[in-house]
Amino acid sequence: MYTFSSKLKTFSFILMIVGVLGIGYSFFTAPKDINDVEAILASQHGHHGDAHAEGAEHHDAKDAHVNTAHSEDAHAAAGHDAHDAHGAEAHEAHDEHTHHLKHVLQQLQNKPWAGVYVAALFFMLISLGALAFYAIQNAASAGWSPVLFRVMEGISAYLIPGAVIVFLLLVLGVMGSHHLFVWMDKDVVAHDHLIQGKSGYLNGPFFLIRAALFMGGWIFYRQYARKVSLAQDEASDNLNFKKSFKAAASFLVFFIVSESIMSWDWIMSVDPHWFSTLFGWYVFASFVVSAVTVIAMVTLYLKSQGYLEYVNTSHIHDLAKFMFGFSVFWTYLWFSQFMLIWYADIPEEITYFVTRIEHYNLPFFGMVVMNFVLPVLILVNTDFKRLTWIVVLAGTIILCGHYVDFFNMIMPATVGDQWFIGAGEIGSILFFMGLFIFVVFSAISKAPLLAKRNPLIEESKHFHY
Amino acid sequence: MSSHYEAPIRKPLVIGDKNFHDVTVDVAAPVEGRANKQWWIVFSIALAAFLWGVGCVAYTVGTGIGTWGSNKTVGWAWDITNFVWWVGIGHAGTLISAVLLLFRQKWRMAINRSAEAMTIFSVIQAAMFPVFHMGRPWLAYWVMPVPNQFGSLWVNFNSPLLWDVFAISTYLSVSLVFWWTGLLPDFAMLRDRAVTPFTKRVYSIVSFGWSGRAKDWQRFEEVSLVLAGLATPLVLSVHTIVSFDFATSVIPGWHTTILPPYFVAGAIFSGFAMVNTLLIIMRKVSNLEAYITIQHIELMNIIIMITGSIVGTAYITELFIAWYSGVEYEQYAFLNRATGPYWWSYLLMMTCNVVSPQVMWSKKIRTSIMASFIISIVVNIGMWFERFVIIVTSLHRDYLPSSWTMFQPTFVDAGFFIGTIGFFFVLFLLYSRSFPVIAQAEVKSIMKTSSEKYKKLRDQEGHNNHSHSDNH
């Protein structure tokens, strides 16, 4: 039995407290009205050279344009015969300026919400990915992994609080507390024919029903699988093992469908004009590689603490191979989606990547380095895949890279060029990481770490590759 | 690789009271014996179909591509449909060898050799279409980036059709090397058993002097693993590149990002169906039922069911996104598939690919040889129609209604396709009489863990000294 060390528990509480402070700070400092925005934009004149410089320059140009239109010099230069016309023009420019400020205001007000949403989604999907991986191992009758089942079950325990938080965020969106999903805004929809055409699908109640159904299904499988897995420990036959096999197969069918729809709903619909058929599988690749990484890291931690007697370097090697393989798979899907849209260059699709390349250049291409180049170079070596520090190093890069991937999926549509990784984003990561650690290790401490009577456990104990 | 312990719940992969020598004898028997009358009948039919195909190709090249049913709107029809179909079938071979090796699936041992052979033979069929669907096939060498006398006139590397050239040629060569490497110990076995000087000579040449030393085996295993690691991304990328032929275009119904993984899933789906078709016959006529067991067929059926479900999900995704996109051309493309003049082909594709694999959820059906055989053929018909639907229905009605038209194949279209089927079976029939159709060296490596005989022996021992008492 694992006992949740008080050190780790304290650490998780500290993470949560620091995280809450960061999140609170980001909400507190978000602008309240357009005057605040004007002040922020003005202050950005003095802050060049950070990651935000490109966006700031963009605004400088706009501000300069507006100022010129307002100034007396420009008024004189325009000539007296065009006086009336120019007045109208200046007025128009003023309107445009206000419109722009309102736009930036919304982006800045979205920012703390988006920071929380990205982190909440990321950690919940990690636990969902671990559950899917667990189901695959069960359905495939894998002989190597049963000694890791309790670790995977523990990680999947976060699905319950994680899904509840994401669901609350979605409910808040439908209620109008935040504007991450532009299609939930009635004023926007009133002027947008494209979104109107989709409102049969993209509407608050149906959206929440789908979310509740999917999360309910995943949590139901998780609880059931855990129950039969524990029951098998005490059983005298393999009935529970057979049940877990059947449950895993049914869950995987439900999962492939719900996962696709989930990714359209919770991620793709922040850009309601954009669509891509590959998107669901792309999102899957991103979180499943993160999930396998987390499984490997939690396993290594427990092993280092002297638990997990039967886990050897071969098990770690296999997990590292999956990290490697899924990293390549993610890149394959990333490239397929990106290249096909780039190649055909159809205006309604290409805007998605145009905004990312223009405003998110470093995160967009940086994540390809973090999610593909580095993991492949580090994990291609067989001996390296058995070294704890190498797996932890590659795992850290992969997890950071896939956080950035989710960041790139959500932020451009919600905060646009006003992004930066500050107190809100880091606070959210820390908060959810703390919660994740607390929930996962509490769950792991509740059951023996070895699935005792699993018919494949002997194979797994003796596993050597 | 893995330990000798195997869980008691795992069913034996080699059934019957077989020892190592029996494996050798059973695998060598079809090669060492003489062909029977049925073989000659089937071979003659395949050869006739092949020759008919040669005639059709000669007629096309001599007269012109206008002998086909393609027209100004539908420039690609049966040619590319057949090409993608054959390439798709070719995928399961490498998949079984490479992916199943990476996933340490012991059951692959009995089927990998024939699956790889199927790959090679179907890629050869596939490779004919890119050449003979050209208007001027004698200039086909221009697709190669070779220095020349036209001021070094080069190819444009932006075309997926050029990527096809590289993908297919790399795929064929790597598959061939992978296959042949695996054949070395088996050819050596045939060489050592040969009784006539002629066969001795032939198998000496093809076995490259394999003597089976420890060092050789160690390197052999490493090479297999490296090639499997390379072949897996190759499988994915080759069919992905084939899908790029369509997905990079701006044609509604073609331009969709899901095509790469969905084509790959479809390829595995149709490839496994073809392996199933071939092996169900082969295990019977070559008396290999002890090695290609009902469990192998069941596992292949499960893979067909899984990939069929993935393909089904992709179909539904495409339909949903077509509606969701709000693009009227895209919406019409799918409306046209379902209700246009080719509705029957769409219906066939949906029934064969989405409905038929779902019956495999029933254990009774997936362990029935007859049902498996029928469904494996149904799947291949469905997958042919999938490619036909994607290609023809997207082309015959797209942006400008003034260029809407229909497509009607001619006997030359059909003749070429029949010819490739004939050629495939000519090659496969010759293979099954001259190659060891089961990788005996690999099967022998799992005898002690997974054959019925040794499992029984181990059980008896286990009962005697109670080594795994916690499992009782």
Side-chain angles (χ1 to χ4, degrees):
Chain A
M1 277 298 263
Y2 168 73
T3 38
F4 196 170
S5 81
S6 61
K7 244 191 208 164
L8 190 63
K9 204 178 266 178
T10 320
F11 178 62
S12 71
F13 281 123
I14 291 170
L15 285 177
M16 279 190 265
I17 292 163
V18 175
V20 167
L21 291 177
I23 295 170
Y25 176 79
S26 72
F27 273 99
F28 184 70
T29 51
K32 306 285 171 292
D33 52 35
I34 55 174
N35 296 328
D36 291 355
V37 174
E38 205 143 21
I40 290 168
L41 290 181
S43 77
Q44 279 172 358
H45 286 267
H47 290 286
H48 282 285
D50 57 1
H52 193 52
E54 205 187 328
E57 269 161 27
H58 172 68
H59 289 293
D60 288 350
K62 273 217 160 165
D63 290 348
H65 167 71
V66 173
N67 289 338
T68 318
H70 273 293
S71 74
E72 286 304 309
D73 287 353
H75 191 72
H80 64 279
D81 55 331
H83 187 90
D84 290 346
H86 185 67
E89 204 178 279
H91 187 65
E92 230 169 65
H94 182 73
D95 271 359
E96 195 194 306
H97 180 57
T98 322
H99 184 74
H100 173 64
L101 287 179
K102 276 188 185 154
H103 180 63
V104 175
L105 174 68
Q106 188 161 47
Q107 291 183 329
L108 288 173
Q109 285 183 332
N110 269 343
K111 208 177 154 301
W113 285 104
V116 172
Y117 186 61
V118 171
L121 204 58
F122 183 58
F123 281 95
M124 188 214 69
L125 290 179
I126 285 179
S127 118
L128 179 64
L131 186 67
F133 191 72
Y134 173 76
I136 292 170
Q137 297 299 315
N138 269 300
S141 305
W144 68 279
S145 55
V147 292
L148 302 171
F149 277 179
R150 289 292 144 84
V151 176
M152 299 183 203
E153 286 166 16
I155 294 170
S156 66
Y158 177 77
L159 191 60
I160 301 160
V164 169
I165 292 170
V166 172
F167 189 70
L168 286 179
L169 285 168
L170 300 179
V171 171
L172 288 175
V174 172
M175 282 163 52
S177 305
H178 62 73
H179 301 280
L180 296 181
F181 297 90
V182 71
W183 57 265
M184 290 176 183
D185 191 330
K186 289 201 171 51
D187 298 337
V188 174
V189 177
H191 299 104
D192 192 322
H193 282 290
L194 266 175
I195 302 183
Q196 281 164 16
K198 302 177 188 192
S199 59
Y201 181 77
L202 289 181
N203 62 72
F206 189 27
F207 178 78
L208 290 181
I209 291 170
R210 286 196 301 269
L213 194 72
F214 298 158
M215 288 167 166
W218 303 333
I219 291 172
F220 175 77
Y221 167 68
R222 192 269 159 193
Q223 297 300 80
Y224 180 77
R226 171 78 162 181
K227 199 184 86 184
V228 290
S229 168
L230 292 179
Q232 178 68 23
D233 277 3
E234 310 303 326
S236 53
D237 56 14
N238 287 341
L239 200 67
N240 290 296
F241 173 74
K242 281 175 190 147
K243 277 185 188 166
S244 74
F245 175 85
K246 283 191 175 160
S250 324
F251 167 73
L252 287 171
V253 174
F254 176 73
F255 176 76
I256 187 176
V257 177
S258 59
E259 190 277 332
S260 294
I261 301 177
M262 170 279 282
S263 64
W264 305 332
D265 281 6
W266 306 347
I267 305 176
M268 198 165 86
S269 85
V270 295
D271 287 285
H273 286 181
W274 185 75
F275 51 88
S276 166
T277 39
L278 182 59
F279 197 74
W281 299 358
Y282 170 71
V283 171
F284 167 72
S286 187
F287 71 75
V288 82
V289 65
S290 312
V292 173
T293 303
V294 170
I295 294 170
M297 287 169 109
V298 173
T299 306
L300 285 172
Y301 171 78
L302 291 170
K303 179 81 187 159
S304 74
Q305 299 297 306
Y307 303 97
L308 298 177
E309 185 189 345
Y310 293 102
V311 172
N312 55 42
T313 49
S314 293
H315 296 99
I316 302 302
H317 186 181
D318 266 24
L319 285 170
K321 274 192 274 188
F322 274 109
M323 285 161 65
F324 175 91
F326 279 129
S327 288
V328 177
F329 182 61
W330 173 88
T331 316
Y332 162 64
L333 295 179
W334 173 82
F335 178 75
S336 296
Q337 182 167 272
F338 173 68
M339 193 281 278
L340 288 176
I341 290 175
W342 168 83
Y343 193 110
D345 204 20
I346 297 175
E348 65 244 29
E349 294 178 347
I350 197 70
T351 49
Y352 186 82
F353 289 114
V354 169
T355 51
R356 277 156 182 80
I357 290 173
E358 279 183 2
H359 301 308
Y360 290 73
N361 198 286
L362 183 66
F364 186 69
F365 290 108
M367 81 176 170
V368 182
V369 176
M370 291 201 285
N371 294 342
F372 175 61
V373 181
L374 295 177
V376 163
L377 290 180
I378 297 171
L379 292 176
V380 74
N381 185 307
T382 295
D383 297 330
F384 280 13
K385 283 192 277 262
R386 292 166 176 264
L387 297 177
T388 305
W389 72 272
I390 290 274
V391 175
V392 171
L393 171 76
T396 312
I397 296 169
I398 289 173
L399 287 177
C400 293
H402 286 281
Y403 171 79
V404 175
D405 187 14
F406 278 90
F407 187 85
N408 282 331
M409 287 192 239
I410 299 290
M411 291 292 173
T414 52
V415 305
D417 55 8
Q418 297 299 314
W419 72 277
F420 60 92
I421 296 188
E425 287 76 12
I426 293 171
S428 308
I429 296 172
L430 295 182
F431 172 77
F432 285 104
M433 194 194 283
L435 185 67
F436 187 85
I437 291 173
F438 179 74
V439 173
V440 167
F441 284 92
S442 304
I444 290 175
S445 69
K446 290 208 175 77
L449 275 167
L450 190 68
K452 262 181 283 176
R453 273 203 80 268
N454 187 311
L456 297 163
I457 198 80
E458 283 299 318
E459 259 186 42
S460 185
K461 279 181 185 174
H462 297 109
F463 172 66
H464 275 284
Y465 178 71
Chain B
M1 243 165 107
S2 54
S3 64
H4 278 292
Y5 176 80
E6 190 169 274
I9 60 160
R10 300 216 192 265
K11 282 179 238 155
L13 291 170
V14 177
I15 52 176
D17 188 29
K18 298 281 181 190
N19 60 27
F20 284 70
H21 181 64
D22 294 334
V23 178
T24 309
V25 172
D26 290 345
V27 173
V31 183
E32 289 166 350
R34 295 185 68 85
N36 59 15
K37 208 165 129 199
Q38 280 108 320
W39 188 90
W40 282 108
I41 292 170
V42 179
F43 182 76
S44 311
I45 296 170
L47 192 66
F50 170 42
L51 293 175
W52 171 243
V54 171
C56 285
V57 169
Y59 177 53
T60 303
V61 174
T63 313
I65 218 79
T67 54
W68 291 0
S70 309
N71 52 52
K72 275 200 284 183
T73 299
V74 187
W76 278 356
W78 274 42
D79 46 352
I80 302 298
T81 302
N82 298 332
F83 163 67
V84 182
W85 188 72
W86 276 119
V87 169
I89 287 171
H91 269 64
T94 307
L95 190 97
I96 290 163
S97 305
V99 179
L100 297 186
L101 174 68
L102 294 185
F103 284 112
R104 299 190 290 260
Q105 299 296 305
K106 289 179 182 167
W107 60 278
R108 66 180 268 282
M109 310 288 188
I111 57 173
N112 57 358
R113 175 68 40 75
S114 297
E116 286 167 45
M118 183 192 77
T119 285
I120 312 273
F121 303 149
S122 42
V123 173
I124 290 171
Q125 308 314 318
M128 284 195 286
F129 289 96
V131 176
F132 292 115
H133 91 309
M134 287 181 176
R136 286 170 287 173
W138 48 90
L139 296 180
Y141 70 97
W142 282 11
V143 304
M144 292 298 182
V146 284
N148 54 58
Q149 291 165 339
F150 303 106
S152 237
L153 183 65
W154 222 242
V155 285
N156 184 344
F157 287 95
N158 290 335
S159 167
L161 297 180
L162 181 66
W163 308 340
D164 268 347
V165 173
F166 300 135
I168 302 294
S169 52
T170 311
Y171 184 63
L172 182 61
S173 29
V174 172
S175 299
L176 197 60
V177 170
F178 192 28
W179 186 49
W180 208 275
T181 315
L183 276 163
L184 294 179
D186 292 4
F187 278 148
M189 178 270 281
L190 290 177
R191 169 199 67 198
D192 298 344
R193 286 172 57 87
V195 282
T196 69
F198 176 72
T199 49
K200 188 104 188 157
R201 182 106 188 93
V202 168
Y203 289 110
S204 298
I205 292 169
V206 293
S207 62
F208 295 177
W210 176 266
S211 55
R213 291 171 304 174
K215 200 70 199 169
D216 298 347
W217 276 113
Q218 188 212 346
R219 288 181 178 141
F220 176 89
E221 296 263 323
E222 251 174 68
V223 163
S224 308
L225 210 54
V226 169
L227 279 178
L230 290 174
T232 305
L234 198 61
V235 173
L236 263 76
S237 67
V238 171
H239 217 61
T240 291
I241 286 168
V242 171
S243 82
F244 285 167
D245 294 348
F246 312 103
T248 52
S249 73
V250 293
I251 306 293
W254 280 11
H255 178 73
T256 172
T257 51
I258 207 168
L259 279 200
Y262 145 61
F263 262 51
V264 173
I268 300 168
F269 180 55
S270 66
F272 261 103
M274 190 59 124
V275 178
N276 228 350
T277 314
L278 296 174
L279 289 187
I280 286 173
I281 298 172
M282 183 183 268
R283 71 194 285 275
K284 189 87 192 152
V285 297
S286 299
N287 294 318
L288 297 169
E289 281 127 321
Y291 307 97
I292 302 165
T293 66
I294 202 77
Q295 196 194 167
H296 289 85
I297 292 170
E298 185 184 0
L299 287 165
M300 286 194 273
N301 282 335
I302 289 175
I303 292 182
I304 291 173
M305 177 183 84
I306 292 170
T307 47
S309 306
I310 293 173
V311 168
T313 314
Y315 287 165
I316 295 162
T317 302
E318 275 196 314
L319 276 176
F320 172 77
I321 298 289
W323 171 80
Y324 179 86
S325 71
V327 181
E328 57 182 332
Y329 302 107
E330 199 70 34
Q331 291 172 344
Y332 182 73
F334 283 89
L335 187 72
N336 180 45
R337 280 184 193 178
T339 62
Y342 292 108
W343 64 270
W344 50 272
S345 61
Y346 186 71
L347 185 72
L348 254 175
M349 143 189 153
M350 278 290 187
T351 326
C352 296
N353 295 347
V354 182
V355 181
S356 77
Q358 297 306 320
V359 302
M360 299 293 192
W361 286 98
S362 150
K363 178 141 181 131
K364 208 171 167 183
I365 293 177
R366 70 170 184 262
T367 50
S368 144
I369 291 177
M370 206 27 151
S372 308
F373 186 72
I374 292 169
I375 289 167
S376 69
I377 287 171
V378 165
V379 164
N380 269 314
I381 294 172
M383 286 307 290
W384 190 89
F385 274 100
E386 182 199 286
R387 278 63 179 253
F388 177 80
V389 164
I390 291 174
I391 293 169
V392 171
T393 64
S394 307
L395 285 177
H396 89 118
R397 288 185 176 179
D398 64 351
Y399 293 110
L400 284 178
S402 58
S403 13
W404 286 6
T405 180
M406 290 293 289
F407 165 75
Q408 186 71 48
T410 65
F411 81 93
V412 192
D413 282 301
F416 191 1
F417 181 45
I418 292 166
T420 55
I421 294 176
F423 191 13
F424 175 83
F425 279 104
V426 165
L427 292 172
F428 198 84
L429 286 164
L430 288 173
Y431 149 83
S432 64
R433 297 225 37 85
S434 50
F435 281 56
V437 294
I438 283 181
Q440 53 89 27
E442 295 201 58
V443 168
K444 284 173 185 169
S445 73
I446 57 164
M447 285 292 277
K448 288 214 166 160
T449 52
S450 311
S451 75
E452 196 177 2
K453 178 178 175 174
Y454 284 92
K455 270 178 180 282
K456 266 186 198 147
L457 275 173
R458 203 168 50 223
D459 276 353
Q460 277 165 9
E461 253 175 63
H463 275 287
N464 292 340
N465 54 28
H466 292 276
S467 62
H468 294 297
S469 50
D470 54 338
N471 273 317
H472 288 265

